[in-house]
Amino acid sequence: MSLPGDAPNTTDLAPSPTDTLIVETVGGPRSEFRLSSHFQPIFSLAHRRPVGYEGLIRGTDSTGKAYLATELLAKAPAGVARMQLDRQCRALHVRNFRRLGNGDSWLFLNVDPHIAVQGHRFGSFAQMLEENGLPAHRVAVELIETPFEDEKRLVAAVEHYRKLGCLIVIDDFGAGYSNFDRIWQLRPDIVKIDREMTRRVTVEPLARRMFTGIISVLHEAGALVCVEGIETEAEALCATDADADLMQGNYFAAPAARLPAEHTCDDLFVRLFKKFRAETTEFRDQRRVRLQPYIEALADTVLALSAGAERSNAVRALLSLACTERCYLVAGDGSQIGASAETERSIAARDSRLTPIRPVTGTNWQTKPFFRRAIEAPGKVQITRPYLSATGPKLCVTLSYALSLNGSYHVLCADLDFAALAGDDLAFLTKMAR
């Protein structure tokens, strides 16, 4: 859809003074660069189409040599000249984006925090948008990752953009200064995950396990999450599995002067979702196969305890399984009853550094997910995400089950060695963490 008065979808834009960067050097030659806009699509996973485009500046010198944004900014002297170039680039993006005829999507504009706090020093942002016919609600102001000492001034600047009607975006979350402090202070509408984190999630189990949790926390903070820097199908699948809202990267589309055709990535998303469904089904089957012996042994233990068997006898078969570390019984108020029944390998693997937090009779587990979920749903096996056991340095998964003993509910728990359960299967490691 086009806005009234839009030009046809073309990159043949007439040159103007704002298309040129001139760099004057003391005692040196004058350099001139022709500036142009490239736009990289930002896809909504749910809609399977672009919902926004990030404006990226490109430049060419008189010989035709191409320069990226960082190279152009480095050529402008620090201070006023660089700030003016930054504003010039944003105005160019707005003008070119408007001419390309897209009337629905957001335009993401990078803003350096140091420039954001300058206010009207280099011209009114709102006036620039109005002159180019782009409503503020279609603009996503993207704060780039950079140290900035006066966060109060930055908060005030962000509120100015918000009052104009713009979306607020924090870029490169997880790198440098783009951390939870900025999330809490700036309350962004969208958070972009740093591309280095995107790369790590496909090769590092710890990063992959944390990825879902980080995105979940950002959602709870009231932000949509964009995973940027996606280069491969594996990275796209990780982002899909972690419930990201938006995706950006060369896997979908590289920055270009033209906007892609509306259905360019239809086949790609068909493949992506097909692969995601297949991996999800495979994981469910694997989890059922791997956990079934432990769930069955847990059920046998429950029956034995309900029939009055001694606990040491009731848990023997469950403890004999390869991945079981320990079993313990918790009263309805969350307090542990007696000591844990542990395997020899669990005892041998104890970390002496964790001695002060080893569970003993009376240790209370009422705040833990394995207890709360079981006591709220008696008669159903509960399975936790992997977490560090208080009895050793290993990640464990806890199976728990609420049963009635002597007229009150108790919760039977079994800790399983997560690494032994998962083996070398990175996908299984990750999906168990959800």
Side-chain angles (χ1 to χ4, degrees):
M1 187 176 95
S2 299
L3 292 172
D6 275 339
N9 187 2
T10 176
T11 57
D12 298 327
L13 305 178
S16 78
T18 59
D19 291 343
T20 304
L21 167 65
I22 297 174
V23 178
E24 304 276 1
T25 56
V26 178
R30 164 177 155 158
S31 300
E32 185 172 315
F33 302 88
R34 173 68 187 276
L35 302 179
S36 62
S37 298
H38 278 51
F39 300 98
Q40 184 166 42
I42 297 172
F43 289 83
S44 164
L45 185 63
H47 298 85
R48 308 185 190 190
R49 59 174 171 79
V51 293
Y53 297 86
E54 180 177 355
L56 300 166
I57 202 69
R58 297 291 185 263
T60 53
D61 62 16
S62 58
T63 68
K65 182 180 178 180
Y67 294 82
L68 297 176
T70 52
E71 297 170 314
L72 291 169
L73 286 170
K75 290 187 175 296
V80 172
R82 193 167 296 173
M83 291 181 179
Q84 289 175 329
L85 173 60
D86 185 90
R87 296 276 178 131
Q88 178 184 355
C89 291
R90 288 203 300 278
L92 181 63
H93 290 328
V94 169
R95 182 168 59 84
N96 287 342
F97 186 69
R98 180 74 168 80
R99 291 185 177 185
L100 288 175
N102 183 288
D104 297 313
S105 301
W106 298 314
L107 172 61
F108 285 66
L109 294 175
N110 291 297
V111 178
D112 188 313
H114 293 88
I115 295 170
V117 301
Q118 294 296 320
H120 296 280
R121 184 177 177 188
F122 299 99
S124 167
F125 185 72
Q127 182 180 352
M128 182 271 289
L129 294 179
E130 184 177 355
E131 289 174 350
N132 288 283
L134 187 65
H137 68 264
R138 291 186 56 205
V139 175
V141 175
E142 185 170 331
L143 295 169
I144 64 174
E145 195 287 313
T146 187
F148 190 77
E149 294 179 359
D150 194 345
E151 290 289 331
K152 288 184 179 179
R153 289 181 67 201
L154 183 58
V155 170
V158 166
E159 284 306 308
H160 170 70
Y161 289 120
R162 200 190 311 273
K163 287 178 182 177
L164 290 179
C166 302
L167 292 165
I168 305 301
V169 184
I170 287 183
D171 192 20
D172 293 333
F173 179 80
Y177 284 75
S178 292
N179 53 33
F180 281 111
D181 265 352
R182 281 200 171 166
I183 301 298
W184 297 327
Q185 292 189 64
L186 303 184
R187 298 177 293 110
D189 302 290
I190 300 171
V191 176
K192 283 188 169 186
I193 299 290
D194 177 55
R195 60 177 55 84
E196 177 61 19
M197 188 182 297
T198 303
R199 185 193 67 79
R200 286 175 178 267
V201 295
T202 60
V203 295
E204 297 183 15
L206 177 59
R208 181 89 180 255
R209 289 199 302 273
M210 292 177 64
F211 194 52
T212 298
I214 289 170
I215 290 178
S216 177
V217 169
L218 292 172
H219 282 156
E220 290 182 16
L224 296 173
V225 179
C226 175
V227 177
E228 62 178 342
I230 294 177
E231 303 286 340
T232 66
E233 181 184 75
E235 293 170 352
L237 283 168
C238 285
T240 302
D241 189 53
D243 195 26
D245 305 286
L246 308 171
M247 297 186 188
Q248 179 182 0
N250 291 345
Y251 174 71
F252 298 98
R258 291 180 180 273
L259 304 188
E262 183 177 355
H263 300 289
T264 298
C265 290
D266 283 2
D267 290 343
L268 183 151
F269 276 104
V270 168
R271 294 194 304 273
L272 186 64
F273 275 81
K274 182 178 180 180
K275 187 71 174 290
F276 173 70
R277 288 192 298 270
E279 285 193 356
T280 301
T281 300
E282 182 182 9
F283 163 72
R284 288 173 179 166
D285 292 342
Q286 287 181 345
R287 188 175 74 163
R288 176 179 53 78
V289 170
R290 296 185 192 195
L291 291 181
Q292 193 61 33
Y294 301 91
I295 293 174
E296 290 177 354
L298 185 73
D300 290 341
T301 302
V302 168
L303 291 175
L305 290 173
S306 299
E310 290 290 330
R311 199 191 320 171
S312 58
N313 293 327
V315 301
R316 186 171 293 130
L318 181 54
L319 285 175
S320 69
L321 296 176
C323 296
T324 307
E325 293 284 304
R326 67 194 62 84
C327 301
Y328 46 102
L329 191 64
V330 180
D333 65 355
S335 58
Q336 181 165 325
I337 301 172
S340 301
E342 294 188 77
T343 63
E344 289 297 326
R345 60 182 174 272
S346 176
I347 294 172
R350 282 181 185 167
D351 189 335
S352 59
R353 298 172 301 168
L354 302 178
T355 298
I357 61 170
R358 281 193 61 227
V360 295
T361 299
T363 299
N364 198 288
W365 302 114
Q366 65 177 301
T367 63
K368 299 299 183 182
F370 60 78
F371 175 79
R372 289 188 289 108
R373 292 175 187 168
I375 209 72
E376 290 169 2
K380 294 184 179 179
V381 176
Q382 304 298 318
I383 306 169
T384 69
R385 294 174 57 180
Y387 67 98
L388 180 65
S389 168
T391 61
K394 295 181 179 180
L395 288 173
C396 74
V397 170
T398 298
L399 306 182
S400 57
Y401 186 98
L403 68 154
S404 180
L405 291 176
N406 302 319
S408 63
Y409 279 118
H410 292 62
V411 176
L412 176 65
C413 303
D415 292 346
L416 311 182
D417 182 341
F418 176 54
L421 187 70
D424 297 326
D425 190 336
L426 178 61
F428 188 85
L429 281 167
T430 306
K431 291 179 183 293
M432 275 295 292
R434 296 198 62 182

